[in-house]
Amino acid sequence: MSVPTSARASKEHGASILVTALASFFGVVLIQATAFLVDIFGDTDGAAITALYSVALVFIGLALYVAAVVTSNTFATIVAGRTRTIALLRLLGARSRDLRRSVAGEGLVVGLFGGAVGMVLGIGASHLARAVAVSTGQLPDVSYTSVQPLVVLPVVTVVLTTTLASYVGSRKVLDVTPVQATGGAVDSGVEAPRSRRIRTALSIVLIAGGVALLGLGVLIGMVNPGGVLVAFVGGVASFTGVMVGAYRILPATLRLVGRLSGRGPAARLASANALRYPDRSTRTAVGLLIGVTLVTTFAVAMYSYRTMLVDEYDEATVGQVLTVTVGIMTGLIGFSAVIAAVGMVNNLLLSILQRTREIGLLRALGFTRRQIRSMIVSESTQMVVASMGFGLILGIVYGWAAAQSLLGSLSDRGLTAPTLPWAVIAGTVLCGGLLALGASLTPARRANQISPVLALADA
C-alpha cells in the first residue's frame, strides 16, 4: 500500500502520534521521578529501589496497554476507510500480506516519532517540575540524575507495541478482495461468520473462567491473603474476555442507551448508526471502557480496604494514608483514561471522514446542519454513557473482589459490600460528560462542512 499523502496522513495518524507521545511521556516522567526519589533517599536499600521501579513499571504497563488498544482500533478504522484503495491495489496485483506489512510500517513510523517526542518532553517536564519543587522547598537541593538510562525502556516499548498494534489493527486487509474495487466498497463492519463464532466462544470461556476464579479468590481470601493472586488472574481473564467479546457486549449496551436518548430523528439515527456498524462503534468506545474500569477498580479497592481495616488499626491513620494513595494512584491511572479518550475522539472523527456520502445524502434529504450536529453529539454521548456505565459496573466488581480476596482473612466482618468512592464516581461522570461534548465538536464541525452535491458525486 502506498504511503498516504501528507494531508491524509495528518488526519489519519495525528491522534495516533499523540497517543504514542503521551504514553512515552508518561513512562519517561515516571522513570525520571523514581530516579529523583532514589537520589533523595539514597541507594542503600536495594529492595526499596526495586519496589519503586516495579510500581513505576506497573503503571507504565497500564498506559502502554491502553495505548496499544487505542492504536489497534485506530488502525482498524483507518484500514476500513481505505477499503476501495486496498481493493484497487489488489486488482492491480498487490498481495494482501504485503499491503498489511505496509500498514505495520506506518505504525513503526508513528511509534518512532511519537516515542521520540514523548521522551524529549518527558525529560524536560520532569526536570522542570523538579526545579520548581526544589526552589519552593518541597524537595531538597541535592544532586539529581540528569537522564536515567531506563527512560529508553518505555520509548522502545511504545515503538514495539505501536508496530504490533498497527499490524493487529490491519487484519481486515486480508478480507478485502479485488472485486470490491469495481463498486462503492466501504467497510461493512461485519466480520466473517467463522471468525465471529470463534471470538464469541473464546469470550464466553474467558469470562466464565475468569468469574469462577474471581469467586474462588474471594473464598480463599477469607482464610489467606494469597487469594488476591487467584482473583487477579480471574480479573485479567474475565476482562480479556470482555475485550474479545466487546463487539457483542457494547452494541447491546448502546441499544439500551439509545432507547433512553430520545425519539427525535437525530437521536434515533445516531442510535441506528451505532448498531448498524457494531465493530466501528466498539472500536470507538472500548478505549474509554478500559480507562473507566481501571480508575473505578482502583478507587473501589482502596476505599474498601479502608472500610475493612478501620477495625484493626487507627482510623485516622488508615484514612490519611489511603486518601493520599488513592489521589496519587487515581491520577496515574487517570492518565491512561486520557489516552483512551484521545482515541475515542480520533475514531469518531475518522468515522465522519469515512461517511462523507452518507452525511451528504442526509443533507440532500433535508437534514439541517443543526440536526447533523445533534446526530454526531448524540452518537458521542451514547458511546460515552455506554462505556462509562459498563466500566463503572466492572470496576466496582473488580475493586470489591480485590479488597475482599486480600483482606477478607484479616477482617472480622467476613464478606462485606463494596465501599463506593462517590467523589471518584461523580468526577468520572463529570469528565465523561465533558468528553461527550468535546469528542463531538470537531467531528460535528467536519460533518457540517460536507457539501451534499460533492458528497453524492463522490464514490
Side-chain angles (χ1 to χ4, degrees), residues 149-171:
L150 282 178
V151 297
V152 176
L153 180 61
V155 177
V156 172
T157 307
V158 161
V159 175
L160 294 177
T161 54
T162 302
T163 305
L164 179 60
S166 63
Y167 186 78
V168 172
S170 64
R171 65 186 179 274

Side-chain angles (χ1 to χ4, degrees), residues 296-311 318 322-323 326 395-408 411 413-422:
T296 308
T297 295
F298 188 83
V300 170
M302 289 293 101
Y303 277 79
S304 297
Y305 288 157
R306 180 170 61 184
T307 300
M308 299 173 73
L309 288 174
V310 290
D311 290 342
V318 171
L322 288 183
T323 298
V326 167
I396 291 172
V397 173
Y398 289 143
W400 172 81
Q404 196 69 52
S405 60
L406 179 63
L407 299 179
S411 175
R413 300 187 180 188
L415 287 175
T416 60
T419 302
L420 301 183
W422 292 111

Side-chain angles (χ1 to χ4, degrees), residues 265-271 273 276 348 352 355 358-359 362 367-382 440 444 447:
R268 293 173 61 186
L269 189 56
S271 178
N273 285 335
R276 187 165 64 250
L348 188 60
I352 296 302
R355 289 156 58 188
E358 173 189 328
I359 294 173
L362 291 175
F367 264 61
T368 63
R369 293 181 184 273
R370 182 176 181 180
Q371 287 177 312
I372 294 293
R373 183 170 56 250
S374 297
M375 181 186 72
I376 303 302
V377 172
S378 183
E379 283 187 34
S380 175
T381 301
Q382 290 177 28
S440 61

Side-chain angles (χ1 to χ4, degrees), residues 95-288:
R95 296 187 305 175
S96 58
R97 295 187 183 277
D98 292 336
L99 297 175
R100 191 179 186 190
R101 279 195 294 269
S102 177
V103 175
E106 294 179 31
L108 174 61
V109 173
V110 168
L112 287 171
F113 185 76
V117 171
M119 181 177 68
V120 172
L121 293 178
I123 293 174
S126 61
H127 278 288
L128 177 61
R130 187 262 309 161
V132 171
V134 170
S135 65
T136 57
Q138 296 178 348
L139 288 179
D141 188 6
V142 300
S143 178
Y144 288 97
T145 302
S146 297
V147 178
Q148 162 60 255
L150 282 178
V151 297
V152 176
L153 180 61
V155 177
V156 172
T157 307
V158 161
V159 175
L160 294 177
T161 54
T162 302
T163 305
L164 179 60
S166 63
Y167 186 78
V168 172
S170 64
R171 65 186 179 274
K172 281 186 175 293
V173 170
L174 301 176
D175 298 329
V176 179
T177 63
V179 176
Q180 290 178 274
T182 62
V186 294
D187 176 52
S188 63
V190 179
E191 196 174 11
R194 182 174 180 274
S195 178
R196 290 236 160 187
R197 287 195 296 270
I198 293 175
R199 285 178 61 186
T200 301
L202 179 61
S203 174
I204 292 174
V205 170
L206 287 172
I207 292 175
V211 169
L213 287 174
L214 272 176
L216 179 61
V218 169
L219 293 177
I220 295 176
M222 299 296 295
V223 296
N224 191 309
V228 70
L229 299 178
V230 179
F232 175 76
V233 174
V236 171
S238 59
F239 192 71
T240 302
V242 170
M243 291 296 97
V244 173
Y247 75 101
R248 286 190 179 275
I249 299 172
L250 281 177
T253 309
L254 283 169
R255 183 181 294 108
L256 176 61
V257 174
R259 291 175 180 173
L260 303 175
S261 61
R263 294 288 182 178
R268 293 173 61 186
L269 189 56
S271 178
N273 285 335
L275 298 176
R276 187 165 64 250
Y277 301 109
D279 281 359
R280 185 173 68 192
S281 302
T282 300
R283 289 194 297 263
T284 304
V286 73
L288 182 61

